[in-house]
Amino acid sequence: MAAYLLKRTVQILLTLFAFICIVFFLVNAQPGDISNVYALNPELPPDAKQRMQEQFGLNQPLWQQFLVYVKNVLTGSFGLSFSHYPRSVADVIGERLPRTVALFFTATVFSFYMGFVLGKIIAWKRGGWTEYATTLGGVTLYTVFTPWFALMMIWLFAFKAGWFPIGKFLDPVLWRDAPLNANTLFNRMMLTVFVVSVIVFAIFLVTTRRRVAGARYIQIGSLAAAAAVTVGIWWSTDVGHLAWDLIEHMILPVLTLTIISFAGTMLLTRNSMLETMREDFVLAARAKGLPEKAVRDRHVARNALLPVVTSLVFSLAFAVDGSVIIESVFSWPGMGQTLVSAALAEDLPLAVGAFVFVGIFVLLAHLAVDVLYVYLDPRIRY
Amino acid sequence: MAVETAPPPAAPAPTAASLRKVRFALMLRSLRENWGLFVSTRVGMIGLVIILFYLVLALMHPILMNTVWDERIYDPVVGYAFDETRQPAPPSRSHLLGTDPLGRDILSQLMYSARSEFLLGLLAAVVTVTIGTTVGAIAAYYGGVMDTILMRFADIMVMLPGISVLIVLSALIGVEHFELALIIGILSGFGGTAILLKSQALSVVVKPYIEAARAAGGGPVHIIFIHIVPNLLPLSFLFMMFTVTGAIFSEAILSFLGLLDVRMSWGLMIHTTEAAGYLLQVGAYWWLIFPASLSITLLCSSFYLVGRAMDEVINPRLRRL
């Protein structure tokens, strides 16, 4: 397995290099360069333009520019952003990437769970009206024009009902004399969630593996206890209401994302279940006289899970794409919104930087899923 | 929808004409069988009806423009509804879906855009399938180095986040419908479609008739395009459907964000609404938001549904026990 992972890592690194090359040639294939942004400015004397070209190394041969570019990518320096001047691109991305990751990780976990459970059920009730209704509804939600659906959610839950704030990352009024800035708080919250979920996951793993009596109660109990303790501790600090403000702004985007993306998992689970249901071990399980629910959950669903996990790869690639839409509509400043606003403002350093980071993120996600897959399917031995 | 396997030679000494006849009869029979399976999935029929509805809308537009509709009022881009006092005007008898904030007829815009969506989807799908089947067949036929290069390239393409690529490209170069279709076609043709069609082609390459063709002196080009590619066609039709969904969806997203240089499209209609500030007045100005958004949703999901129904026809493992 170590050899396989090494091979995969080398492959991913090669892919990453190819990706960086593609981005470079895309940027350089267009006529003109960065100094053209100021071409129409009458205040700018010609020698200033020349100086700028020298400064950016634009008068060097292309291969030298390429080397400089690769060096810059590896050291993470993408220059200064035009639209967020004087902040550097790396700074803007460092602020926004964790947000998108948090948003999408939450939504992906919810939608995969929901899709898997629903897919199990409709595969078992094949041919009934439940199946047609769920499939139609699921497909419609899956292919719904996302901005419109997000808009309807905002209109319904935020504008009409007023349960949630309309878009944005935080409520500036609350933060006027806050003791710390939003990013610090957000990163602390993410750290908390990470630690708590690792602990809960460990408890789940141990109780399942050791076949502890009453594992189910221990699991539910520990989940509830962890949640209660976390909320309690956060509530007692003086930034509790600010943390809640951030969460409140996240609920609607996460909800929207979950609703539009669960159908993909659901339909895939259904197909995978239908294929697994023809296997001999299912017949054997039924012949043993196991109840239908046990056959479905313990025998068919577990084996049908594999392709669903593979689809996580594609859904993670989609996640970054999806963030473009959702974040733009909700004006939620994450990676996607950064990319779109940079593209609209022709802020090339930021657009290219964001794009490269998105690419790296997707590649790392692929690697993570590969590792997960080896762990999940004992039949795969590399 | 197409022939599953190449037909066996029927007569002892088949002439070209009789062979074609047999082939045609076989095709017709399998078409009828597959059509029956397709109808029995129901969801596929729903999709087909929606597609036909929009096709009729798209085809009606030039006819209406030449006969009933006055060009100065009903032109989807430069028309202005002089007969309304306030813009956007609610639906009336002369403007069935009302007018947009710039005084243009919504129904006319909707029908005009339907045509370009179909063209876009069709072009993207054809490019995807042409590239995908060719790449898949070549990789499977030659194997070795060729296979490795093509498939690693496909891996990169699959990992590229599509919408983000399109956004960056639209910031770098002006993207219109034609370029968009080409980009989507290339991305998906060299990427996911090629990978899946290659795995199908691998099962074709080992069939005895490929060996026979080779023994009869067929060159690589002949074998790939006459013997392998036709057997990949049923599966590639399936990917055509999914590509159409993807293309229409991407177009709508990009023009909604205002990143495309197109004259008129469903996404642009919503962009206009947003720019004019009517986006959250869903109740009062529903005709500015619902027709375009619903059209995008319906057309995307109909192609997706047809694709899924075809999947059940093509993939025997999904058939009912």
Side-chain angles (χ1 to χ4, degrees):
Chain A
M1 188 168 139
Y4 167 73
L5 285 184
L6 192 72
K7 194 180 143 209
R8 250 339 254 173
T9 315
V10 171
Q11 264 180 15
I12 294 270
L13 285 178
L14 282 178
T15 318
L16 190 61
F17 182 70
F19 173 72
I20 290 171
C21 292
I22 291 175
V23 174
F24 178 77
F25 288 112
L26 272 184
V27 173
N28 276 277
Q30 58 147 350
D33 54 52
I34 253 171
S35 61
N36 280 27
V37 174
Y38 302 103
L40 290 177
N41 190 343
E43 307 263 309
L44 207 67
D47 62 312
K49 192 174 169 183
Q50 204 176 357
R51 218 167 37 240
M52 194 191 298
Q53 282 183 337
E54 274 166 29
Q55 215 173 357
F56 282 111
L58 296 172
N59 48 1
Q60 287 170 348
L62 203 60
W63 65 271
Q64 262 180 3
Q65 287 188 38
F66 180 66
L67 288 184
V68 172
Y69 165 81
V70 171
K71 190 182 131 247
N72 282 344
V73 168
L74 291 181
T75 51
S77 57
F78 290 93
L80 298 181
S81 157
F82 291 163
S83 49
H84 292 262
Y85 191 82
R87 294 175 67 191
S88 73
V89 169
D91 184 33
V92 176
I93 292 173
E95 171 192 291
R96 307 234 162 136
L97 190 62
R99 297 180 184 172
T100 298
V101 174
L103 183 70
F104 273 85
F105 192 74
T106 327
T108 307
V109 167
F110 284 144
S111 71
F112 261 77
Y113 187 72
M114 195 169 147
F116 187 63
V117 171
L118 280 177
K120 244 171 27 180
I121 295 169
I122 62 170
W124 219 249
K125 298 196 169 160
R126 187 173 191 197
W129 279 109
T130 343
E131 199 213 343
Y132 288 116
T134 324
T135 310
L136 265 185
V139 168
T140 314
L141 286 174
Y142 191 55
T143 51
V144 74
F145 184 50
T146 325
W148 174 59
F149 184 71
L151 207 71
M152 287 298 122
M153 296 286 281
I154 296 178
W155 180 71
L156 200 65
F157 292 112
F159 190 69
K160 282 275 161 184
W163 294 344
F164 303 107
I166 302 176
K168 298 274 187 281
F169 187 61
L170 44 78
D171 182 7
V173 179
L174 274 179
W175 289 76
R176 205 173 285 149
D177 39 32
L180 75 181
N181 79 22
N183 283 323
T184 328
L185 185 68
F186 190 72
N187 290 341
R188 273 188 213 165
M189 284 160 64
M190 281 187 33
L191 192 69
T192 321
V193 171
F194 179 72
V195 170
V196 170
S197 38
V198 164
I199 294 172
V200 170
F201 184 72
I203 293 174
F204 267 61
L205 206 62
V206 168
T207 46
T208 315
R209 277 287 155 91
R210 291 273 166 86
R211 296 174 189 277
V212 180
R216 188 120 200 123
Y217 298 106
I218 299 178
Q219 287 168 359
I220 294 172
S222 66
L223 194 65
V229 168
T230 319
V231 171
I233 292 176
W234 271 92
W235 204 247
S236 62
T237 60
D238 54 343
V239 290
H241 66 289
L242 295 176
W244 172 243
D245 182 45
L246 292 185
I247 293 175
E248 213 182 5
H249 281 83
M250 258 181 85
I251 294 177
L252 209 49
V254 167
L255 193 66
T256 312
L257 268 172
T258 310
I259 292 177
I260 54 178
S261 54
F262 82 92
T265 316
M266 181 181 83
L267 298 175
L268 187 71
T269 310
R270 169 186 173 269
N271 279 8
S272 172
M273 288 278 286
L274 290 183
E275 286 178 13
T276 319
M277 271 155 70
R278 306 188 140 196
E279 304 255 356
D280 292 339
F281 65 80
V282 180
L283 193 66
R286 283 215 173 108
K288 277 194 292 189
L290 286 178
E292 282 289 291
K293 193 166 177 296
V295 177
R296 188 186 76 187
D297 291 349
R298 301 233 182 100
H299 294 259
V300 182
R302 279 203 182 176
N303 286 288
L305 188 61
L306 289 169
V308 182
V309 173
T310 325
S311 86
L312 211 96
V313 182
F314 295 99
S315 86
L316 276 169
F318 169 79
V320 181
D321 265 4
S323 80
V324 169
I325 304 157
I326 292 293
E327 289 172 7
S328 312
V329 177
F330 281 94
S331 335
W332 202 81
M335 277 310 265
Q337 208 234 19
T338 309
L339 190 63
V340 173
S341 58
L344 282 173
E346 302 199 345
D347 180 358
L348 264 191
L350 187 57
V352 170
F355 184 57
V356 169
F357 263 86
V358 164
I360 293 174
F361 177 68
V362 172
L363 287 175
L364 289 181
H366 273 255
L367 192 61
V369 170
D370 277 343
V371 176
L372 189 68
Y373 205 63
V374 173
Y375 171 75
L376 277 180
D377 191 354
R379 284 177 296 189
I380 298 178
R381 281 288 170 259
Y382 295 95
Chain B
M1 300 302 282
V3 197
E4 293 272 345
T5 51
T15 60
S18 72
L19 202 63
R20 213 172 294 136
K21 216 179 218 169
V22 171
R23 216 172 256 181
F24 186 70
L26 273 170
M27 201 170 88
L28 216 61
R29 201 177 70 196
S30 84
L31 205 63
R32 208 175 300 131
E33 271 171 21
N34 287 336
W35 175 248
L37 279 171
F38 184 83
V39 171
S40 73
T41 57
R42 293 191 216 181
V43 284
M45 285 312 287
I46 297 175
L48 212 54
V49 168
I50 299 174
I51 293 175
L52 281 179
F53 172 71
Y54 278 101
L55 204 59
V56 169
L57 272 192
L59 294 177
M60 284 283 282
H61 188 258
I63 299 173
L64 280 175
M65 283 307 275
N66 282 328
T67 53
V68 191
W69 282 354
D70 184 354
E71 206 172 310
R72 282 163 302 172
I73 297 179
Y74 286 99
D75 188 278
V77 185
V78 292
Y80 186 84
F82 299 104
D83 45 348
E84 301 286 350
T85 44
R86 279 183 63 226
Q87 312 291 358
S92 59
R93 276 192 53 188
S94 54
H95 302 281
L96 287 177
L97 285 173
T99 60
D100 79 347
L102 302 175
R104 302 175 294 187
D105 186 69
I106 298 265
L107 184 63
S108 171
Q109 291 183 336
L110 203 69
M111 291 165 79
Y112 177 81
S113 312
R115 183 173 44 169
S116 48
E117 304 293 341
F118 271 110
L119 287 179
L120 169 88
L122 194 69
L123 183 62
V126 167
V127 173
T128 305
V129 164
T130 314
I131 297 177
T133 38
T134 314
V135 169
I138 288 177
Y141 182 80
Y142 286 105
V145 181
M146 185 71 104
D147 179 34
T148 312
I149 294 174
L150 286 176
M151 284 303 115
R152 287 296 83 75
F153 188 61
D155 277 349
I156 298 179
M157 287 304 210
V158 165
M159 288 186 200
L160 284 181
I163 301 262
S164 314
V165 172
L166 290 171
I167 287 175
V168 172
L169 277 178
S170 65
L172 292 175
I173 54 174
V175 179
E176 285 173 43
H177 275 142
F178 183 70
E179 285 92 347
L180 184 71
L182 282 187
I183 296 168
I184 294 174
I186 290 171
L187 273 181
S188 125
F190 276 110
T193 313
I195 296 177
L196 290 161
L197 283 175
K198 183 212 145 193
S199 55
Q200 174 75 11
L202 278 179
S203 67
V204 176
V205 166
V206 296
K207 293 260 169 72
Y209 57 81
I210 302 289
E211 192 75 14
R214 204 175 290 155
V221 177
H222 171 81
I223 293 180
I224 288 174
F225 287 102
I226 304 294
H227 295 284
I228 301 180
V229 168
N231 286 298
L232 297 179
L233 282 184
L235 200 61
S236 42
F237 272 122
L238 178 68
F239 290 118
M240 273 177 97
M241 295 300 136
F242 294 139
T243 313
V244 172
T245 303
I248 294 175
F249 190 78
S250 316
E251 191 275 340
I253 296 286
L254 290 181
S255 52
F256 164 72
L257 294 171
L259 288 164
L260 283 190
D261 304 333
V262 293
R263 289 187 76 216
M264 185 47 61
S265 80
W266 292 336
L268 198 62
M269 288 165 71
I270 307 171
H271 180 72
T272 314
T273 309
E274 188 196 20
Y278 290 102
L279 208 50
L280 276 180
Q281 301 180 346
V282 177
Y285 292 98
W286 59 269
W287 65 93
L288 292 179
I289 300 163
F290 277 86
S293 313
L294 272 181
S295 298
I296 298 166
T297 309
L298 281 178
L299 201 58
C300 281
S301 43
S302 61
F303 274 106
Y304 189 81
L305 285 175
V306 170
R308 277 194 71 82
M310 280 167 77
D311 194 16
E312 303 226 347
V313 174
I314 295 165
N315 185 353
R317 288 196 295 174
L318 289 179
R319 288 200 192 141
R320 209 166 281 265
L321 285 165

